[in-house]
Amino acid sequence: NAAPKTCAIAICLDGCEPEYLDVAIAEGLMPTQKRIRETGTVRMAHSVSPSFTNPNNQSIATGRPPSVHGICGNFLFDPDTGEEVMMNDVRFLRTPTLFSKFYDAGARVAVVTAKDKLRALLGAGLKFDEDRAIAFSSEKSDTTTVAEHGIDNASAWLGMPVPEVYSAELSEFVFAAGVKLLKEWKPDVMYLSTTDYIQHKFAPDEQGAKDFYAMFDRYLAELDALGAAVVVTADHGMKPKHDRVTKEPSVIYMQDVFDDWLGEAQARVILPITDPYVVHHGALGAFATAYLPEGADRADIIARIKALPEMLEVLTKEEAVAKYELPADRIGDLTMVSTENMTIGTSEDRHDLAALGEPLRSHGGLTEQEVPFIVNRKIDLPNAPELRNFDAFFYATAAAALEEVPA
């Protein structure tokens, strides 16, 4: 229980399939990461399921699975209102964040995210009137205020323009802000969370991906040189989800399947990947949940879904709650996970795939659950599946308490 002697940082590299790091290191593009592999500790960890952004970021921020914090997707069906809504409102959060607890204990806390959809959830419980908390997003960095974010106009403070949402620069802004905060504001605890635009767009061996990881390595070098204890992990991996020949998205439209089996709109398919950033994934991911009509034969329906070659795992609500650690009141009667190179849609006419500029790459399933877990200190770590990405701050603070770091 020793107090941290240096800043404890967790970095969530959104969509960081382990192969991205392997390729970039092998090509000499990540000398800092290569050195940390030799002088630090490298493991694989499991993300939470579904392997989407919101549930995993909130798990990292709380140290707990979705069954505890309540955020089980980017999007949910709210049975109370009968509406499908984004799950980025603080009202959906069921437990305090680690950041609020560190703050209450007197620590200086900084949180920087790429997209603003996470900022309110991650900043829940922080107070900005004592100059001990800063929480903002790259996306809205020019509109930050001391009252709401702990800093006025973060874009001007950093000397970088607000990046385009669909860009590598949105994540670079996060890293640059982290370095400047560490140098000048000196937080005790800091969380840096990026966007997976690059990972959706480029495979590990493509130049856009290599450029991104080379850029990240330069900022990691600065954080490491400043003496911070750093854990690098990810919210989920990323797999190709398209036909290898035609490059068309690989999709099974389960709302259409249910309509055919049970009658139109008798069942309701919910895709928790859904968010406003459709250029990334067209709302196509590898996990879905379904609400069945009253009196439906669930066992028969599950058996029929399991027989579909596109499906990897189909569970009842009760099985999913136990296996994936999900909140029972925020998922349907069953859950579906597609195979490695397949996604699940609702109805074909509800997905606008025109914005997808590249062959579809996406996530959400069990095949995107293995993520890197890298610490820039020698530390005793288990491996996946025991090691979870949401152990990031447990080990970051443990590493920060290990030793005095020379100034």
Side-chain angles (χ1 to χ4, degrees):
N1 292 325
K5 298 178 173 117
T6 186
C7 182
I9 301 175
I11 299 174
C12 178
L13 286 180
D14 198 335
C16 187
E17 183 70 28
E19 190 184 346
Y20 284 105
L21 297 176
D22 295 340
V23 169
I25 290 170
E27 297 202 9
L29 300 173
M30 300 190 81
T32 308
Q33 189 70 252
K34 182 176 188 291
R35 175 173 52 77
I36 289 172
R37 283 192 172 190
E38 294 158 4
T39 61
T41 311
V42 177
R43 298 283 187 274
M44 290 297 166
H46 273 188
S47 75
V48 304
S49 286
S51 49
F52 294 135
T53 295
N54 281 20
N56 277 280
N57 270 272
Q58 215 54 44
S59 283
I60 293 169
T62 59
R64 306 295 291 151
S67 55
V68 177
H69 61 67
I71 307 298
C72 55
N74 303 340
F75 187 81
L76 88 162
F77 175 60
D78 188 344
D80 297 336
T81 63
E83 295 180 333
E84 298 177 16
V85 293
M86 291 298 297
M87 210 186 308
N88 53 8
D89 193 293
V90 173
R91 70 189 167 99
F92 293 114
L93 188 57
R94 289 176 168 167
T95 194
T97 67
L98 294 168
F99 312 132
S100 68
K101 290 300 185 181
F102 278 119
Y103 182 87
D104 290 346
R108 295 168 69 80
V109 178
V111 177
V112 187
T113 73
K115 295 178 187 170
D116 205 58
K117 70 174 184 177
L118 283 172
R119 196 251 326 150
L121 285 172
L122 296 176
L126 295 177
K127 301 180 186 70
F128 301 104
D129 55 355
E130 298 179 328
D131 191 34
R132 286 197 298 108
I134 288 177
F136 65 87
S137 71
S138 309
E139 183 183 10
K140 305 282 188 185
S141 53
D142 60 336
T143 60
T144 64
T145 63
V146 169
E148 194 178 346
H149 309 87
I151 187 170
D152 274 327
N153 195 333
S155 173
W157 164 80
L158 188 56
M160 289 177 71
V162 179
E164 164 64 37
V165 168
Y166 299 118
S167 71
E169 288 73 27
L170 199 73
S171 294
E172 181 169 7
F173 192 107
V174 173
F175 302 139
V179 169
K180 188 174 171 74
L181 285 167
L182 187 58
K183 284 179 177 175
E184 298 178 6
W185 194 72
K186 300 188 178 356
D188 299 301
V189 174
M190 182 160 62
Y191 184 45
L192 305 175
S193 181
T194 68
T195 167
D196 58 3
Y197 170 70
I198 290 295
Q199 291 74 13
H200 276 286
K201 187 176 173 67
F202 297 110
D205 60 354
E206 293 185 292
Q207 194 61 45
K210 294 176 188 178
D211 292 345
F212 178 87
Y213 285 95
M215 174 271 290
F216 166 60
D217 198 73
R218 292 192 291 272
Y219 288 102
L220 180 61
E222 290 194 71
L223 296 172
D224 183 59
L226 289 164
V230 184
V231 170
V232 178
T233 188
D235 50 353
H236 53 77
M238 187 75 66
K239 293 290 198 300
K241 308 282 187 181
H242 55 267
D243 185 280
R244 292 186 178 188
V245 178
T246 68
K247 308 300 184 187
E248 290 297 310
S250 298
V251 196
I252 179 168
Y253 292 102
M254 283 308 298
Q255 186 65 56
D256 292 341
V257 172
F258 282 120
D259 288 355
D260 185 46
W261 289 353
L262 304 174
E264 189 171 347
Q266 291 301 299
R268 183 192 290 257
V269 174
I270 298 294
L271 306 178
I273 195 173
T274 306
D275 69 14
Y277 306 95
V278 292
V279 169
H280 288 198
H281 45 61
L284 295 172
F287 182 99
T289 186
Y291 292 81
L292 301 178
E294 193 96 21
D297 186 340
R298 185 172 70 165
D300 175 65
I301 291 166
I302 286 177
R304 292 170 76 181
I305 302 170
K306 282 183 174 179
L308 298 170
E310 296 88 348
M311 290 298 164
L312 181 65
E313 185 164 82
V314 187
L315 301 181
T316 65
K317 177 204 287 267
E318 296 78 15
E319 290 168 339
V321 165
K323 180 170 182 179
Y324 303 149
E325 299 177 284
L326 296 174
D329 59 333
R330 291 183 175 170
I331 61 171
D333 298 297
L334 57 89
T335 62
M336 300 169 279
V337 175
S338 58
T339 54
E340 180 169 325
N341 302 118
M342 179 61 56
T343 61
I344 303 170
T346 53
S347 299
E348 188 166 5
D349 61 3
R350 286 177 61 186
H351 289 267
D352 178 12
L353 304 183
L356 288 176
E358 283 76 30
L360 180 65
R361 299 175 56 76
S362 196
H363 53 94
L366 300 175
T367 54
E368 296 81 46
Q369 198 180 8
E370 190 165 83
V371 295
F373 197 101
I374 298 151
V375 192
N376 68 337
R377 299 280 194 280
K378 287 287 186 194
I379 192 169
D380 188 23
L381 278 185
N383 219 321
E386 183 186 347
L387 183 64
R388 307 299 298 274
N389 62 349
F390 59 77
D391 296 326
F393 276 104
F394 180 85
Y395 290 110
T397 52
L402 278 177
E403 61 195 294
E404 288 290 354
V405 176

